[in-house]
Each structure stands twice: as structure tokens, then as C-alpha cells.
Amino acid sequence: MQPDLEEGPEFAPRFSSDGLLTCVTVHADDGVVLMVAHMNADALAKTLASGVVHYWSRSRQCLWRKGDTSGQTQALVELRVDCDQDVLLARVRVGGDGGACHTGRRSCFYRRVEAGAEGARLVEVGTG
Amino acid sequence: MQPDLEEGPEFAPRFSSDGLLTCVTVHADDGVVLMVAHMNADALAKTLASGVVHYWSRSRQCLWRKGDTSGQTQALVELRVDCDQDVLLARVRVGGDGGACHTGRRSCFYRRVEAGAEGARLVEVGTG
């Protein structure tokens, strides 16, 4: 147990060695997990200051205000942090068509892993 | 777009350079986000084979069958994978007292980040 980190009121995010926090983003209304992405300190600060979710794109190595090109902006309803302050949970409402995944689906988690005798396969499922 | 990875039925998890996938774990009944942890290939295989969630503990550097000491086992209801197959979503039912966080709470996400003029502070919230 690390009392200050886990029980105190101080927000002391523990960025990874590459300067990132993992962020789980869920819809504020029904709690569906929409996506998982990352924030650096700048993305986190801009998210808190603007109320619109910003991420750090690891693939493009740039700040990414979600929805800038797709219209699928994410209005921040609540930001939470986990016990040891290295993961964020963003509760959002989504603009545009309501999607969060670049494939066009509402959520990135649209496939179930099914284990079988011949190995695991993926089956598409609805995302609410 | 990477058609095979994103649209195909092949489960081809993309482990990080240190051999891990991020796993978001939610309760199967109400969808509440309980915790975020990691799985290596062994933890993933044992989770699928046993139906009980196993993680890789980064801090202890060992395989970790959640609940072995706490009784808070996680029975796997469904495992999902995200679009680019580097994040898992485990839908579980929790044994023991129903908690997932080592602090004794149901969820690790029990504090809200509140931005203010003097910086961000944390406020405890219920976790359902």
C-alpha cells in the first residue's frame, strides 16, 4: 500500500518511461467501453482545461484531439484515475455519429475471442 | 486500415515489445470497469483454457491468478479484443467479496480528477 498515492487527494499521475498514461474511455450514459488510448502530460492538461478529450497518438507521434477529422469528439463528463495513478478512466459523450473506432463502429471492442480445439478465433459481436 | 487484423477471424494478438497486452476488466453484469492489468502469452492461454482470469504482474514479474490470495477470483464470461488487437476486454464475474482493487474497493477507479485554479485534486466517488 502506498497511502498518499492511493488514498490522498493529490493527483500525481505516474507516467510511463515514455511519458504516457493508458486511458480507458467509456460512454458516460451506458458505461460501454469505447476505446483504449494514451495521454501524455500535454494531452491530459488540454483535456482537463478544455473538457474535450485529447490523446497522444503513438503511431503518429502527435497530439490528437479525437474527432478533429471524424467529428467524433469526446466531451469529458468525468475523469477518474486508478489506485496507483497510472491509468485514467474517461467518461465521455461522443459527437458526430457517436462512434469511437476508426473502423466505423461505436466501440473498438467488437470481436469476441472464442477458444476452440483448433485455437482461438474471433467472432463479431454488437457493441450496444 | 489493416483488413486482416481488423476484420478477419484470426486472433493474432499484438504483444508489446515486453510481451504484454493491456487488459481492461469489467463486470459482466453491469459493465463497471474494475481494473486494468496486463497479460503475457502464458496468462492469456491460461485464461482461455481455464475460464479464470490470469494476469502477468509487472511489479512482481510473475504469473498472477487473480484471487489466489484474496479470493477475488475472476470467472471469465467473455474476452474481447480491440480493432488492432493490442488491448483485451475481459467481462468477468468476481468471487469472494466481489472486489477487484487491492485497496479493498470494488473498482480501482474510485477517485475523480477535479481540475481547479490551484491544480487538479482527487475526490472519492462510489464505484457501483
Side-chain angles (χ1 to χ4, degrees), chain B residues 14-27:
Chain B
R14 296 196 307 125
F15 295 93
S16 66
S17 57
D18 48 359
L20 301 177
L21 298 170
T22 298
C23 179
V24 179
T25 302
V26 307
H27 201 284

Side-chain angles (χ1 to χ4, degrees), chain A residues 28-44:
Chain A
D29 294 334
D30 60 12
V32 164
V33 178
L34 300 175
M35 59 183 285
V36 171
H38 296 82
M39 289 188 188
N40 63 3
D42 186 32
L44 173 59

Side-chain angles (χ1 to χ4, degrees), chain B residues 36-92:
Chain B
V36 171
H38 296 84
M39 290 189 188
N40 63 2
D42 186 32
L44 173 59
K46 285 188 165 62
T47 297
L48 288 172
S50 68
V52 177
V53 179
H54 293 63
Y55 301 104
W56 175 258
S57 168
R58 292 187 300 174
S59 57
R60 289 176 283 142
Q61 289 284 302
C62 64
L63 188 73
W64 165 37
R65 200 185 86 120
K66 173 80 178 164
D68 265 353
T69 55
S70 65
Q72 297 167 343
T73 50
Q74 297 182 341
L76 184 68
V77 173
E78 183 183 64
L79 189 68
R80 295 190 185 187
V81 67
D82 77 337
C83 46
D84 61 355
Q85 301 204 33
D86 64 354
V87 181
L88 299 170
L89 175 67
R91 298 179 55 234
V92 306

Side-chain angles (χ1 to χ4, degrees), chain B residues 104-121:
Chain B
R105 296 171 177 89
R106 182 181 182 217
S107 162
C108 296
F109 295 93
Y110 52 84
R111 289 175 297 183
R112 177 173 62 221
V113 181
E114 293 207 337
E118 297 176 10
R121 304 292 282 174

Side-chain angles (χ1 to χ4, degrees), chain A residues 5-10 78-83 102 105 108-113 121-122 125-126, chain B residues 5-10 78-83 85 102 105 108-113 121-122 125-126:
Chain A
L5 192 67
E6 297 175 353
E7 301 294 337
E10 185 189 357
E78 184 183 62
L79 188 69
R80 295 191 186 187
V81 67
D82 76 338
C83 46
H102 75 288
R105 297 172 177 88
C108 296
F109 295 92
Y110 52 85
R111 288 174 299 182
R112 177 173 64 220
V113 181
R121 304 292 283 173
L122 302 179
V125 292
Chain B
L5 192 67
E6 298 175 353
E7 301 295 338
E10 185 189 357
E78 183 183 64
L79 189 68
R80 295 190 185 187
V81 67
D82 77 337
C83 46
Q85 301 204 33
H102 75 288
R105 296 171 177 89
C108 296
F109 295 93
Y110 52 84
R111 289 175 297 183
R112 177 173 62 221
V113 181
R121 304 292 282 174
L122 301 180
V125 293

